[in-house]
Amino acid sequence: MPLARPVIGDLEIERVLEVLRSRRLSLGPLLAEFEHEFARRVGAAHASAVSSGTAGLHLALRAAGVSDGDEVVTSPFSFVASANVVVYERARPVFADIDPVTFNLDPDAAAAAVTERTTALLPVHIFGYPVDLGAFERIGLPIVEDACEALGAVDADGVPVGGRGHPAVFGFYANKQIATGEGGMVTTADAALKERIDSERNQGRAPDMDWLDHDRLGFNYRLGEIACALGLAQLQRLDELLAGRARVAGAYREALAEIEGVDPPCEDSTAARGGGSQIRRGWFVYVIQLPRDVDRDSIVRALSARGIPSKPYFPAVHLMSYYRERFGHREGEFPVCEDVAARSIALPFFPEMTESQVEQVAESLREVLGMVGGA
Ligand SMILES: Cc1ncc(COP(=O)(O)O)c(C=O)c1O
C-alpha cells in the first residue's frame, strides 16, 4: 500500500485530453478558470496560480515587503520550504516554538520572537489544522499563511482557510488534497497583490503581456494548462476527496484507540479559541505520536517489512544541517517542536484507503510496538 495516492478518474483524464487536443499548453484559458474556481471555493476575492507552493510562498513574501536583513517569524515544525523562501530573499527565518496540542506555531511564542527587524509572520496550518489567525493578527504585522497542507480547513468562525484576506498559499503536490503533480495557488483580498504576483510569476511582465515590457524582476513560476485542467477536475470533486480523507482519519482514530501510548492527531476543538464552533481540519496526512521510549527507526523498518510504508514527519527545520550551519541552531531551542518531531510518524493515508487497509496498518503497528517494546 502506498503512503499517499491521488484520486485520478475519468474526469481528470478527460480534462487533460481536452488540453492536449486544444494544443494550448501554457497561458491558456484554464489558468483564469482554475484561479476563479479556486477563489470561489475558499471565499477569496482573488487567486493566482503558480508552479508550486514554494513559488507561491516566495512571491507572497516578496509582496509582503520582505527583503535583505529582515526577519520573518515562522514555525520550526513544517516542511522546509516555509523557511527556505525567507532565505531566498536574504532574510532570516526566526523560529518560535509550537503549540503542544495542534502543533501549529504558538502565537505567544511568535509574539515574543518579534524584533524591530520583523517584517512578516509566516504561520503554517500544519497537517491541515487551522492556525488561530486572530491571535496572530493581534501582533500587528503582515501575515502570509502557509496553507499548503490546509485546503478544506475551516476556522472557528466558519471562514475557510484562504478566505480571510491575508495572502494564503496552497500546494498541489501529488500528496495534497487536490493534486496537479506540481502546482500552487495564492489567495488574497488585495487586487494589487494579485497583479504583482501575476507579473512576478511571469518574468515581471506587465499585465498586458507586452513581450518587451519587463518592468520588474520576475521568475518563471507559471502553472501550465495541463496542471490547471487537473486542478479544475480535482476541485470539482473536492467535497468527495475531503470526505474520503475525513472517513479514513475517523477509521484510524477508532483502530488506534486501543494501542497504548500512541497519540492520534488532535480533535477539532475551539477550546483554546475563546468561542466559535465551526473549526475543521482539512485532512492532509495522518501523523501519530509514538511513545517516547521506543526507537522510531526500528518501528519504521518493522512496518516496512510488513509492507506498510511510514515516515518520520516532520523533522524540525532548525535542526537540519543547512539551518544549523547557516544560523547556528542547536538542540534544546524549541523543546515542544523537538519532542513532537522526534516522536512523529506519518502512516499511509489517502481518500480511497479502505477500512481493512486501516485495520492492517493498526494491527501491524500493534505488533511492532509489542516487539520493539515501550507500548
Ligand atoms: C507546509 C508546507 N509548506 C510548503 C510546501 C511546499 O509546497 P510545494 O511542494 O508545492 O512547493 C509544502 C508541501 O510540500 C508544505 O507541506
PDB file of all heavy atoms in Angstrom, residues 51-55 57 78-79 81-82 124 126 146 148-149 170-173 175-176 182-184 284 313-314, ligand 1:
ATOM      1  N   SER A  51       3.569  27.725  -9.965  1.00  0.00           N
ATOM      2  CA  SER A  51       4.107  26.406 -10.300  1.00  0.00           C
ATOM      3  C   SER A  51       4.299  25.489  -9.093  1.00  0.00           C
ATOM      4  O   SER A  51       4.498  24.290  -9.263  1.00  0.00           O
ATOM      5  CB  SER A  51       5.440  26.584 -11.040  1.00  0.00           C
ATOM      6  OG  SER A  51       6.301  27.385 -10.254  1.00  0.00           O
ATOM      7  N   SER A  52       4.258  26.023  -7.885  1.00  0.00           N
ATOM      8  CA  SER A  52       4.367  25.182  -6.687  1.00  0.00           C
ATOM      9  C   SER A  52       3.964  26.010  -5.470  1.00  0.00           C
ATOM     10  O   SER A  52       3.883  27.249  -5.547  1.00  0.00           O
ATOM     11  CB  SER A  52       5.815  24.684  -6.480  1.00  0.00           C
ATOM     12  OG  SER A  52       6.666  25.764  -6.144  1.00  0.00           O
ATOM     13  N   GLY A  53       3.760  25.324  -4.364  1.00  0.00           N
ATOM     14  CA  GLY A  53       3.505  26.029  -3.115  1.00  0.00           C
ATOM     15  C   GLY A  53       4.708  26.878  -2.726  1.00  0.00           C
ATOM     16  O   GLY A  53       4.560  28.014  -2.250  1.00  0.00           O
ATOM     17  N   THR A  54       5.888  26.350  -2.954  1.00  0.00           N
ATOM     18  CA  THR A  54       7.112  27.087  -2.624  1.00  0.00           C
ATOM     19  C   THR A  54       7.176  28.394  -3.412  1.00  0.00           C
ATOM     20  O   THR A  54       7.474  29.464  -2.851  1.00  0.00           O
ATOM     21  CB  THR A  54       8.351  26.219  -2.953  1.00  0.00           C
ATOM     22  OG1 THR A  54       8.195  24.943  -2.332  1.00  0.00           O
ATOM     23  CG2 THR A  54       9.629  26.873  -2.499  1.00  0.00           C
ATOM     24  N   ALA A  55       6.875  28.317  -4.711  1.00  0.00           N
ATOM     25  CA  ALA A  55       6.883  29.521  -5.552  1.00  0.00           C
ATOM     26  C   ALA A  55       5.870  30.533  -5.030  1.00  0.00           C
ATOM     27  O   ALA A  55       6.144  31.743  -4.963  1.00  0.00           O
ATOM     28  CB  ALA A  55       6.556  29.140  -6.997  1.00  0.00           C
ATOM     29  N   LEU A  57       4.735  30.850  -1.943  1.00  0.00           N
ATOM     30  CA  LEU A  57       5.221  31.446  -0.689  1.00  0.00           C
ATOM     31  C   LEU A  57       6.286  32.496  -0.974  1.00  0.00           C
ATOM     32  O   LEU A  57       6.320  33.557  -0.348  1.00  0.00           O
ATOM     33  CB  LEU A  57       5.801  30.341   0.217  1.00  0.00           C
ATOM     34  CG  LEU A  57       4.784  29.426   0.901  1.00  0.00           C
ATOM     35  CD1 LEU A  57       5.480  28.205   1.513  1.00  0.00           C
ATOM     36  CD2 LEU A  57       4.007  30.183   1.987  1.00  0.00           C
ATOM     37  N   SER A  78       7.598  22.194  10.284  1.00  0.00           N
ATOM     38  CA  SER A  78       6.989  22.426   8.977  1.00  0.00           C
ATOM     39  C   SER A  78       7.815  21.704   7.934  1.00  0.00           C
ATOM     40  O   SER A  78       8.906  21.194   8.217  1.00  0.00           O
ATOM     41  CB  SER A  78       6.974  23.931   8.676  1.00  0.00           C
ATOM     42  OG  SER A  78       6.415  24.194   7.409  1.00  0.00           O
ATOM     43  N   PHE A  79       7.301  21.709   6.714  1.00  0.00           N
ATOM     44  CA  PHE A  79       8.118  21.309   5.576  1.00  0.00           C
ATOM     45  C   PHE A  79       9.128  22.438   5.348  1.00  0.00           C
ATOM     46  O   PHE A  79       8.788  23.615   5.506  1.00  0.00           O
ATOM     47  CB  PHE A  79       7.226  21.103   4.352  1.00  0.00           C
ATOM     48  CG  PHE A  79       7.949  20.616   3.152  1.00  0.00           C
ATOM     49  CD1 PHE A  79       8.620  19.400   3.180  1.00  0.00           C
ATOM     50  CD2 PHE A  79       7.980  21.364   1.991  1.00  0.00           C
ATOM     51  CE1 PHE A  79       9.302  18.945   2.061  1.00  0.00           C
ATOM     52  CE2 PHE A  79       8.654  20.910   0.868  1.00  0.00           C
ATOM     53  CZ  PHE A  79       9.312  19.708   0.905  1.00  0.00           C
ATOM     54  N   ALA A  81      10.275  24.110   3.080  1.00  0.00           N
ATOM     55  CA  ALA A  81      10.029  25.201   2.129  1.00  0.00           C
ATOM     56  C   ALA A  81       9.590  26.490   2.814  1.00  0.00           C
ATOM     57  O   ALA A  81       9.933  27.585   2.359  1.00  0.00           O
ATOM     58  CB  ALA A  81       8.965  24.787   1.105  1.00  0.00           C
ATOM     59  N   SER A  82       8.838  26.385   3.926  1.00  0.00           N
ATOM     60  CA  SER A  82       8.320  27.613   4.549  1.00  0.00           C
ATOM     61  C   SER A  82       9.450  28.450   5.149  1.00  0.00           C
ATOM     62  O   SER A  82       9.316  29.669   5.271  1.00  0.00           O
ATOM     63  CB  SER A  82       7.237  27.298   5.588  1.00  0.00           C
ATOM     64  OG  SER A  82       7.685  26.333   6.507  1.00  0.00           O
ATOM     65  N   VAL A 124       2.057  28.397   9.748  1.00  0.00           N
ATOM     66  CA  VAL A 124       1.801  27.245   8.861  1.00  0.00           C
ATOM     67  C   VAL A 124       0.607  26.476   9.418  1.00  0.00           C
ATOM     68  O   VAL A 124       0.609  26.101  10.590  1.00  0.00           O
ATOM     69  CB  VAL A 124       3.040  26.313   8.837  1.00  0.00           C
ATOM     70  CG1 VAL A 124       2.810  25.133   7.891  1.00  0.00           C
ATOM     71  CG2 VAL A 124       4.307  27.085   8.459  1.00  0.00           C
ATOM     72  N   ILE A 126      -0.424  23.516   9.997  1.00  0.00           N
ATOM     73  CA  ILE A 126       0.278  22.236   9.853  1.00  0.00           C
ATOM     74  C   ILE A 126      -0.695  21.059   9.852  1.00  0.00           C
ATOM     75  O   ILE A 126      -1.626  21.008  10.631  1.00  0.00           O
ATOM     76  CB  ILE A 126       1.372  22.090  10.952  1.00  0.00           C
ATOM     77  CG1 ILE A 126       2.440  21.093  10.510  1.00  0.00           C
ATOM     78  CG2 ILE A 126       0.825  21.699  12.305  1.00  0.00           C
ATOM     79  CD1 ILE A 126       3.337  21.581   9.430  1.00  0.00           C
ATOM     80  N   ASP A 146       0.953  29.948   5.337  1.00  0.00           N
ATOM     81  CA  ASP A 146       1.323  28.733   4.610  1.00  0.00           C
ATOM     82  C   ASP A 146       0.170  27.753   4.773  1.00  0.00           C
ATOM     83  O   ASP A 146       0.030  27.091   5.807  1.00  0.00           O
ATOM     84  CB  ASP A 146       2.638  28.149   5.135  1.00  0.00           C
ATOM     85  CG  ASP A 146       3.066  26.907   4.342  1.00  0.00           C
ATOM     86  OD1 ASP A 146       2.194  26.280   3.711  1.00  0.00           O
ATOM     87  OD2 ASP A 146       4.270  26.564   4.379  1.00  0.00           O
ATOM     88  N   CYS A 148      -0.350  25.337   2.531  1.00  0.00           N
ATOM     89  CA  CYS A 148      -0.051  24.285   1.550  1.00  0.00           C
ATOM     90  C   CYS A 148      -0.705  22.951   1.923  1.00  0.00           C
ATOM     91  O   CYS A 148      -0.968  22.128   1.060  1.00  0.00           O
ATOM     92  CB  CYS A 148       1.461  24.106   1.412  1.00  0.00           C
ATOM     93  SG  CYS A 148       2.197  25.417   0.427  1.00  0.00           S
ATOM     94  N   GLU A 149      -0.919  22.728   3.222  1.00  0.00           N
ATOM     95  CA  GLU A 149      -1.474  21.441   3.663  1.00  0.00           C
ATOM     96  C   GLU A 149      -2.938  21.566   4.061  1.00  0.00           C
ATOM     97  O   GLU A 149      -3.492  20.631   4.642  1.00  0.00           O
ATOM     98  CB  GLU A 149      -0.655  20.947   4.865  1.00  0.00           C
ATOM     99  CG  GLU A 149       0.825  20.845   4.567  1.00  0.00           C
ATOM    100  CD  GLU A 149       1.634  20.213   5.684  1.00  0.00           C
ATOM    101  OE1 GLU A 149       1.083  20.028   6.794  1.00  0.00           O
ATOM    102  OE2 GLU A 149       2.806  19.883   5.442  1.00  0.00           O
ATOM    103  N   PHE A 170      -1.428  27.751  -1.143  1.00  0.00           N
ATOM    104  CA  PHE A 170      -1.788  26.327  -1.187  1.00  0.00           C
ATOM    105  C   PHE A 170      -0.823  25.585  -2.101  1.00  0.00           C
ATOM    106  O   PHE A 170      -0.226  26.185  -3.001  1.00  0.00           O
ATOM    107  CB  PHE A 170      -3.220  26.177  -1.716  1.00  0.00           C
ATOM    108  CG  PHE A 170      -4.255  26.789  -0.798  1.00  0.00           C
ATOM    109  CD1 PHE A 170      -4.543  28.149  -0.854  1.00  0.00           C
ATOM    110  CD2 PHE A 170      -4.916  26.013   0.146  1.00  0.00           C
ATOM    111  CE1 PHE A 170      -5.479  28.725   0.001  1.00  0.00           C
ATOM    112  CE2 PHE A 170      -5.851  26.572   1.002  1.00  0.00           C
ATOM    113  CZ  PHE A 170      -6.133  27.933   0.934  1.00  0.00           C
ATOM    114  N   GLY A 171      -0.710  24.275  -1.878  1.00  0.00           N
ATOM    115  CA  GLY A 171       0.177  23.456  -2.717  1.00  0.00           C
ATOM    116  C   GLY A 171      -0.589  22.276  -3.296  1.00  0.00           C
ATOM    117  O   GLY A 171      -1.498  21.740  -2.652  1.00  0.00           O
ATOM    118  N   PHE A 172      -0.209  21.885  -4.507  1.00  0.00           N
ATOM    119  CA  PHE A 172      -0.923  20.803  -5.194  1.00  0.00           C
ATOM    120  C   PHE A 172       0.002  19.654  -5.569  1.00  0.00           C
ATOM    121  O   PHE A 172      -0.210  18.960  -6.574  1.00  0.00           O
ATOM    122  CB  PHE A 172      -1.616  21.342  -6.459  1.00  0.00           C
ATOM    123  CG  PHE A 172      -2.487  22.554  -6.200  1.00  0.00           C
ATOM    124  CD1 PHE A 172      -2.462  23.634  -7.069  1.00  0.00           C
ATOM    125  CD2 PHE A 172      -3.322  22.611  -5.096  1.00  0.00           C
ATOM    126  CE1 PHE A 172      -3.260  24.759  -6.844  1.00  0.00           C
ATOM    127  CE2 PHE A 172      -4.125  23.735  -4.852  1.00  0.00           C
ATOM    128  CZ  PHE A 172      -4.090  24.806  -5.730  1.00  0.00           C
ATOM    129  N   TYR A 173       1.076  19.471  -4.796  1.00  0.00           N
ATOM    130  CA  TYR A 173       1.937  18.303  -4.982  1.00  0.00           C
ATOM    131  C   TYR A 173       1.070  17.043  -4.872  1.00  0.00           C
ATOM    132  O   TYR A 173      -0.024  17.079  -4.284  1.00  0.00           O
ATOM    133  CB  TYR A 173       3.042  18.325  -3.915  1.00  0.00           C
ATOM    134  CG  TYR A 173       3.983  17.160  -4.003  1.00  0.00           C
ATOM    135  CD1 TYR A 173       4.894  17.059  -5.059  1.00  0.00           C
ATOM    136  CD2 TYR A 173       3.969  16.149  -3.043  1.00  0.00           C
ATOM    137  CE1 TYR A 173       5.753  15.978  -5.149  1.00  0.00           C
ATOM    138  CE2 TYR A 173       4.827  15.069  -3.126  1.00  0.00           C
ATOM    139  CZ  TYR A 173       5.717  14.978  -4.189  1.00  0.00           C
ATOM    140  OH  TYR A 173       6.550  13.908  -4.281  1.00  0.00           O
ATOM    141  N   ASN A 175       0.627  14.539  -3.112  1.00  0.00           N
ATOM    142  CA  ASN A 175       0.005  14.011  -1.881  1.00  0.00           C
ATOM    143  C   ASN A 175      -1.035  14.969  -1.285  1.00  0.00           C
ATOM    144  O   ASN A 175      -1.613  14.681  -0.237  1.00  0.00           O
ATOM    145  CB  ASN A 175       1.092  13.709  -0.821  1.00  0.00           C
ATOM    146  CG  ASN A 175       1.857  14.956  -0.385  1.00  0.00           C
ATOM    147  OD1 ASN A 175       1.698  16.031  -0.959  1.00  0.00           O
ATOM    148  ND2 ASN A 175       2.700  14.806   0.617  1.00  0.00           N
ATOM    149  N   LYS A 176      -1.284  16.083  -1.940  1.00  0.00           N
ATOM    150  CA  LYS A 176      -2.148  17.109  -1.337  1.00  0.00           C
ATOM    151  C   LYS A 176      -3.637  16.821  -1.594  1.00  0.00           C
ATOM    152  O   LYS A 176      -3.986  15.951  -2.376  1.00  0.00           O
ATOM    153  CB  LYS A 176      -1.776  18.490  -1.908  1.00  0.00           C
ATOM    154  CG  LYS A 176      -0.353  18.925  -1.562  1.00  0.00           C
ATOM    155  CD  LYS A 176      -0.200  19.118  -0.069  1.00  0.00           C
ATOM    156  CE  LYS A 176       1.045  19.904   0.312  1.00  0.00           C
ATOM    157  NZ  LYS A 176       2.316  19.259   0.026  1.00  0.00           N
ATOM    158  N   GLU A 182       2.661  19.061  -9.692  1.00  0.00           N
ATOM    159  CA  GLU A 182       3.283  20.218  -9.048  1.00  0.00           C
ATOM    160  C   GLU A 182       2.333  21.387  -9.269  1.00  0.00           C
ATOM    161  O   GLU A 182       1.677  21.454 -10.304  1.00  0.00           O
ATOM    162  CB  GLU A 182       4.646  20.553  -9.656  1.00  0.00           C
ATOM    163  CG  GLU A 182       5.685  19.445  -9.618  1.00  0.00           C
ATOM    164  CD  GLU A 182       6.244  19.193  -8.219  1.00  0.00           C
ATOM    165  OE1 GLU A 182       5.944  19.969  -7.298  1.00  0.00           O
ATOM    166  OE2 GLU A 182       6.975  18.193  -8.072  1.00  0.00           O
ATOM    167  N   GLY A 183       2.284  22.308  -8.329  1.00  0.00           N
ATOM    168  CA  GLY A 183       1.422  23.471  -8.523  1.00  0.00           C
ATOM    169  C   GLY A 183       1.096  24.130  -7.203  1.00  0.00           C
ATOM    170  O   GLY A 183       1.321  23.557  -6.131  1.00  0.00           O
ATOM    171  N   GLY A 184       0.588  25.344  -7.299  1.00  0.00           N
ATOM    172  CA  GLY A 184       0.210  26.059  -6.077  1.00  0.00           C
ATOM    173  C   GLY A 184      -0.743  27.194  -6.411  1.00  0.00           C
ATOM    174  O   GLY A 184      -1.008  27.481  -7.590  1.00  0.00           O
ATOM    175  N   PHE A 284      -4.896  16.127   5.693  1.00  0.00           N
ATOM    176  CA  PHE A 284      -3.803  16.049   4.717  1.00  0.00           C
ATOM    177  C   PHE A 284      -3.010  14.752   4.881  1.00  0.00           C
ATOM    178  O   PHE A 284      -2.865  13.969   3.955  1.00  0.00           O
ATOM    179  CB  PHE A 284      -2.907  17.277   4.860  1.00  0.00           C
ATOM    180  CG  PHE A 284      -1.566  17.148   4.197  1.00  0.00           C
ATOM    181  CD1 PHE A 284      -1.481  16.817   2.844  1.00  0.00           C
ATOM    182  CD2 PHE A 284      -0.400  17.356   4.908  1.00  0.00           C
ATOM    183  CE1 PHE A 284      -0.242  16.679   2.239  1.00  0.00           C
ATOM    184  CE2 PHE A 284       0.841  17.233   4.301  1.00  0.00           C
ATOM    185  CZ  PHE A 284       0.913  16.891   2.969  1.00  0.00           C
ATOM    186  N   TYR A 313       7.881  12.498  10.333  1.00  0.00           N
ATOM    187  CA  TYR A 313       7.203  13.593   9.619  1.00  0.00           C
ATOM    188  C   TYR A 313       6.708  14.598  10.613  1.00  0.00           C
ATOM    189  O   TYR A 313       5.769  14.305  11.348  1.00  0.00           O
ATOM    190  CB  TYR A 313       6.034  12.962   8.871  1.00  0.00           C
ATOM    191  CG  TYR A 313       5.607  13.659   7.623  1.00  0.00           C
ATOM    192  CD1 TYR A 313       6.315  13.514   6.446  1.00  0.00           C
ATOM    193  CD2 TYR A 313       4.463  14.432   7.625  1.00  0.00           C
ATOM    194  CE1 TYR A 313       5.888  14.137   5.279  1.00  0.00           C
ATOM    195  CE2 TYR A 313       4.039  15.057   6.461  1.00  0.00           C
ATOM    196  CZ  TYR A 313       4.748  14.901   5.302  1.00  0.00           C
ATOM    197  OH  TYR A 313       4.323  15.505   4.163  1.00  0.00           O
ATOM    198  N   PHE A 314       7.242  15.764  10.754  1.00  0.00           N
ATOM    199  CA  PHE A 314       8.389  16.309  10.062  1.00  0.00           C
ATOM    200  C   PHE A 314       9.591  16.343  10.992  1.00  0.00           C
ATOM    201  O   PHE A 314       9.409  16.521  12.190  1.00  0.00           O
ATOM    202  CB  PHE A 314       8.101  17.769   9.709  1.00  0.00           C
ATOM    203  CG  PHE A 314       7.176  17.958   8.560  1.00  0.00           C
ATOM    204  CD1 PHE A 314       5.952  18.548   8.753  1.00  0.00           C
ATOM    205  CD2 PHE A 314       7.549  17.592   7.283  1.00  0.00           C
ATOM    206  CE1 PHE A 314       5.101  18.762   7.666  1.00  0.00           C
ATOM    207  CE2 PHE A 314       6.706  17.808   6.199  1.00  0.00           C
ATOM    208  CZ  PHE A 314       5.477  18.384   6.393  1.00  0.00           C
TER     209      PHE A 314
HETATM  210  C1  LIG B   1       3.809  23.161   4.954  1.00  0.00           C
HETATM  211  C2  LIG B   1       4.281  23.185   3.533  1.00  0.00           C
HETATM  212  N1  LIG B   1       4.810  24.307   3.047  1.00  0.00           N
HETATM  213  C3  LIG B   1       5.233  24.394   1.787  1.00  0.00           C
HETATM  214  C4  LIG B   1       5.173  23.312   0.934  1.00  0.00           C
HETATM  215  C5  LIG B   1       5.732  23.460  -0.434  1.00  0.00           C
HETATM  216  O1  LIG B   1       4.856  23.135  -1.451  1.00  0.00           O
HETATM  217  P1  LIG B   1       5.412  22.592  -2.852  1.00  0.00           P
HETATM  218  O2  LIG B   1       5.956  21.221  -2.624  1.00  0.00           O
HETATM  219  O3  LIG B   1       4.196  22.607  -3.726  1.00  0.00           O
HETATM  220  O4  LIG B   1       6.448  23.535  -3.322  1.00  0.00           O
HETATM  221  C6  LIG B   1       4.616  22.113   1.390  1.00  0.00           C
HETATM  222  C7  LIG B   1       4.410  20.956   0.536  1.00  0.00           C
HETATM  223  O5  LIG B   1       5.033  20.129   0.176  1.00  0.00           O
HETATM  224  C8  LIG B   1       4.174  22.034   2.739  1.00  0.00           C
HETATM  225  O6  LIG B   1       3.694  20.894   3.227  1.00  0.00           O
END
